[in-house]
Amino acid sequence: MLELAILGLLQEAPMHGYELRKELTAKLGAIRAAISYGSLYPTLRRLQAAGWITEAADTPATAEEVPALTSRRGRVVYTITAEGKERFAQLIAQTGPETYGDTGFGVHFAFFSRTDQATRLRILEGRRRTIEERREGLRDMLGRAAERLDAYTLELQRHGLEACEREVRWLEELIANERSGRAPTVPNDGTAGGRREDNSPPPPGESRKERP
């Protein structure tokens, strides 16, 4: 998944490692904790060895671009190659079970604008099945073991069940939008935290009634 994210970001523009770290956080949002940044540079080296990215000319780092306590030595700028673009196209077209899990789905969803409708639908439907199975498992566990759980564990399991139910509703809205050819509504105030229009699907963990 980190390979896919890096190649996708480098298609937008050449970047050095620090920029990639910032863009990964911005692009992947809530799932960023699932990716170890300790694996970023080993992954970059592996991609370079495969011929999918290359090093561009070093550029001097400015004080504003370098984290505190970090040297201002020249930075290595990474650029995607033609082979890397082909590799990205292969990865982004995948629709197998690896794209239905929490991290896999999040990374693919972040690059949905570069996938075709059929691919998006297969991934969304696969994700919905995965969450529905998770939901049914929680329901079954609560039905069989609720009396043996303490109040806090029970509340945690109920929270997980509610999160699954909200995500299933969100996925169903996205699937309906895809089938009708509509994209999710973008906030019209130009900010990521702007208020959505009432007909837009909520993100995972949020329901319509929770919106201000």
Side-chain angles (χ1 to χ4, degrees):
M1 291 301 105
L2 187 53
E3 176 182 313
L4 170 62
I6 291 172
L7 291 175
L9 288 173
L10 291 180
Q11 285 213 78
E12 298 174 359
M15 299 182 193
H16 57 77
Y18 180 59
E19 286 176 323
L20 278 168
R21 290 185 62 173
K22 291 194 300 182
E23 290 300 318
L24 283 167
T25 299
K27 188 79 170 177
L28 304 180
I31 69 163
R32 64 185 180 274
I35 293 179
S36 170
Y37 288 126
S39 63
L40 174 60
Y41 288 99
T43 301
L44 287 170
R45 288 194 293 270
R46 181 169 55 81
L47 296 178
Q48 188 174 5
W52 296 330
I53 65 173
T54 186
E55 292 182 3
D58 291 1
T59 58
T62 65
E64 293 78 12
E65 295 174 323
V66 178
L69 305 180
T70 301
S71 170
R72 289 183 58 187
R73 62 186 179 184
R75 302 164 299 172
V76 174
V77 178
Y78 298 96
T79 303
I80 192 169
T81 64
E83 293 80 6
K85 292 179 180 179
E86 292 179 1
R87 175 60 175 167
F88 175 78
Q90 294 171 355
L91 292 173
I92 202 66
Q94 292 178 351
T95 59
E98 70 278 2
T99 68
Y100 309 154
D102 294 343
T103 301
F105 174 74
V107 174
H108 277 265
F109 192 84
F111 293 99
F112 258 18
S113 62
R114 305 194 196 174
T115 58
D116 58 73
Q117 182 188 44
T119 298
R120 292 194 297 267
L121 272 172
R122 284 194 293 271
I123 293 174
L124 289 170
E125 290 168 348
R127 175 66 174 179
R128 180 177 61 181
R129 289 193 300 271
T130 298
I131 300 303
E132 286 174 338
E133 291 172 1
R134 187 182 300 175
R135 179 189 63 187
E136 295 311 309
L138 285 169
R139 283 177 176 172
D140 182 64
M141 188 277 295
L142 284 169
R144 290 184 294 102
E147 295 180 356
R148 300 196 303 271
L149 300 176
D150 63 74
Y152 293 101
T153 302
L154 183 61
E155 188 62 26
L156 181 63
Q157 298 304 318
R158 286 174 175 165
H159 174 72
L161 177 58
E162 291 170 0
C164 287
E165 291 171 342
R166 286 193 297 268
E167 184 166 355
V168 168
R169 292 194 295 270
W170 176 68
L171 289 165
E172 287 175 343
E173 289 189 64
L174 287 172
I175 290 169
N177 285 344
E178 286 293 337
R179 288 174 175 164
S180 63
R182 298 194 308 270
T185 303
V186 177
N188 55 18
D189 63 355
T191 64
R195 184 175 179 176
R196 296 177 186 81
E197 296 298 322
D198 289 341
N199 64 346
S200 64
E206 179 184 325
S207 61
R208 290 188 187 281
K209 65 182 181 180
E210 293 171 339
R211 296 179 181 178

